[in-house]
């Protein structure tokens, strides 16, 4: 299905995004979200594309499953909940903090070894509880702490230095970059720093979808399959209670899904069908319905995706419209708008 050939890096230029979602209020298009979408069939061929799927972009946290695969390939022995947490943008719930502490304990390390930024929990409800309790921001609470703890554990197992594990030239980050190129099938266009402080690799939206498909179609027992199984079986550890990405994996059997800041979503089925979405303005309200519409185009039953059709627009406290994928993506809309 996929060759081992690694193509040249995607071009760095202004993306040629296209309309992907409409804000419908009272039957009138009130606003437009631009972005790009790619849908791959089970053979890895592009079934549908909207916008600019080949330009260089930053997948943000949607790349975490690939980073987790790289760490498992480098000897990380985690499975189940802790491996899911390795690929997480978690909500900062107590189970996430406890899991991160456990990874650090397995490595013989403590929270002081983490080099991610300090933050409050990502989930608004959990964050409000922290504030009421007078708890300060911490590295454990920051949504990437599981990944960082796993990075440290991987370094410890390989005898690599710990203090500089976020340096792009560090052996860990070089190993991750190699797997990013392997799974996406293209060279990295640019390296910068993600919000948490870790190196962030620029690929294309098409490459991100390819990587997700390669992870979900890998043979049982491989690092790719271990990461996919862990995230699907423990979706709330990879996100949190009430998070749409966890609900999406529960709703669609066998689906692997990961979101990322700035309106990024990737999802892949066990047979290799995959979708990737980038919302140009980073809006979550467009990410979810556009991703759901893309999954329908990939062959997922619309009935199981109805709850992801888009949040309503309110007028006087009552629904008067919705956010809906454009007709080019969703010819028979998942939801009807007033």
């Amino acid at each position: 299905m996929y060759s081992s050939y690694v193509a040249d890096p995607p071009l760095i230029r202004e993306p040629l995004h296209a309309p992907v979602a409409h804000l419908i209020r009272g039957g009138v298009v009130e606003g437009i979200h631009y972005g790009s979408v790619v849908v791959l069939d089970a053979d890895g061929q592009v079934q549908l594309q909207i916008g600019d799927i080949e330009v260089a972009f930053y997948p943000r946290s949607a790349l975490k499953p690939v980073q987790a695969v790289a760490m498992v390939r480098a000897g990380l022995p985690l499975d189940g909940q802790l491996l899911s947490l390795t690929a997480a943008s978690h909500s900062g719930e107590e189970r996430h903090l406890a899991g991160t502490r456990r990874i650090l304990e397995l490595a013989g390390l403590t929270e002081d070894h983490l080099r991610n930024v300090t933050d409050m929990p990502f989930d608004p409800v959990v964050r409000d509880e922290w504030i009421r309790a007078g708890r300060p921001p911490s590295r454990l609470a920051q949504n990437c702490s599981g990944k960082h703890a796993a990075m440290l554990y991987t370094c410890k197992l390989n005898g690599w230095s710990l203090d500089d594990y976020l340096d792009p030239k560090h052996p860990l980050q070089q190993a991750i970059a190699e797997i990013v190129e392997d799974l996406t099938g293209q060279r990295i266009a640019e390296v910068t720093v993600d919000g948490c402080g870790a190196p962030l690799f620029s690929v294309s939206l098409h490459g991100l979808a390819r990587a997700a498909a390669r992870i979900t179609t890998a043979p049982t027992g491989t690092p790719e399959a271990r990461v996919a199984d862990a995230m699907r079986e423990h979706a709330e550890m990879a996100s949190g209670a009430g998070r749409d990405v966890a609900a999406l994996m529960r709703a669609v059997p066998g689906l692997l899904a990961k979101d990322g800041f700035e309106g990024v979503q990737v999802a892949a089925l066990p047979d290799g069908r995959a979708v990737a979405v980038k919302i140009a303005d980073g809006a979550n309200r467009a990410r979810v319905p556009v991703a759901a519409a893309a999954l329908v185009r990939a062959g997922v039953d619309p009935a199981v995706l109805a709850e992801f059709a888009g949040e309503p627009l309110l007028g006087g406290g009552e629904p008067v419209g919705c956010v809906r994928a454009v007709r080019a993506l969703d010819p028979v809309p998942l939801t009807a708008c007033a």
Side-chain angles (χ1 to χ4, degrees):
M1 181 174 67
Y2 293 100
S3 73
S4 58
Y5 171 72
V6 177
D8 290 338
L11 292 177
I12 299 174
R13 55 169 171 76
E14 183 177 348
L16 303 174
H17 291 307
V20 293
H22 287 156
L23 280 66
I24 310 293
R25 183 182 294 273
V28 174
V29 176
E30 182 178 33
I32 301 173
H33 288 289
Y34 283 72
S36 296
V37 180
V38 60
V39 178
L40 303 183
D41 64 21
D43 293 323
Q45 299 302 307
V46 176
Q47 177 184 331
L48 174 74
Q49 67 178 82
I50 296 175
D52 199 344
I53 68 170
E54 304 295 356
V55 69
F57 93 120
Y58 290 117
R60 302 300 299 272
S61 288
L63 200 62
K64 282 177 178 172
V66 178
Q67 294 171 308
V69 168
M71 285 186 268
V72 174
R73 287 195 189 183
L76 185 69
L78 302 177
D79 281 298
Q81 293 189 41
L82 295 184
L83 184 53
S84 183
L85 183 60
T86 296
S89 301
H90 65 69
S91 292
E93 300 163 19
E94 288 302 324
R95 59 179 157 183
H96 300 131
L97 276 60
T100 301
R101 290 190 191 97
R102 179 56 182 156
I103 296 173
L104 290 169
E105 288 170 1
L106 290 169
L109 302 172
T110 70
E111 181 180 354
D112 291 338
H113 290 90
L114 293 171
R115 292 292 179 266
N116 59 312
V117 297
T118 60
D119 203 355
M120 301 294 283
F122 176 75
D123 183 87
V125 174
V126 180
R127 184 169 59 246
D128 288 347
E129 291 174 351
W130 271 58
I131 293 171
R132 284 194 295 269
R135 300 175 72 175
S138 76
R139 298 186 194 278
L140 278 180
Q142 197 269 335
N143 76 90
C144 302
S145 64
K147 178 183 76 174
H148 281 256
M151 285 181 170
L152 285 166
Y153 192 7
T154 304
C155 290
K156 191 73 177 294
L157 291 167
N158 284 278
W160 296 332
S161 58
L162 302 181
D163 289 345
D164 60 342
Y165 76 93
L166 297 182
D167 188 326
K169 295 179 181 179
H170 189 280
L172 170 70
Q173 301 304 336
Q174 291 292 301
I176 291 174
E178 180 180 344
I179 304 309
V180 169
E181 293 187 336
D182 177 29
L183 293 180
T184 63
Q186 62 189 166
R187 302 295 179 195
I188 293 166
E190 188 60 80
V191 181
T192 188
V193 182
D194 209 341
C196 65
L200 177 61
F201 306 104
S202 178
V203 293
S204 70
L205 196 66
H206 189 180
L208 179 64
R210 274 195 302 264
R214 286 174 168 170
I215 290 172
T216 59
T217 57
T220 300
T222 61
E224 292 89 338
R226 284 171 56 189
V227 169
D229 289 345
M231 292 181 68
R232 290 182 294 217
E233 293 169 13
H234 305 281
E236 283 77 11
M237 283 298 282
S239 53
R243 294 274 292 280
D244 58 73
V245 68
L248 193 60
M249 285 193 277
R250 288 195 303 269
V252 182
L255 185 73
L256 175 69
K258 185 69 187 76
D259 54 347
F261 280 162
E262 299 302 326
V264 182
Q265 179 74 58
V266 67
L269 292 153
D271 64 1
R273 288 174 289 159
V275 307
V277 171
K278 165 63 181 175
I279 305 300
D281 62 2
N284 268 329
R285 68 177 180 180
R287 172 183 58 83
V288 178
V290 169
L295 284 168
V296 171
R297 292 297 292 265
V300 176
D301 183 356
V304 305
L305 293 168
E307 66 177 292
F308 307 99
E311 63 185 64
L313 296 182
L314 303 181
E318 298 295 329
V320 295
C322 66
V323 181
R324 186 176 69 193
V326 296
R327 298 287 185 179
L329 178 60
D330 192 13
V332 181
L334 285 170
T335 186
C337 287

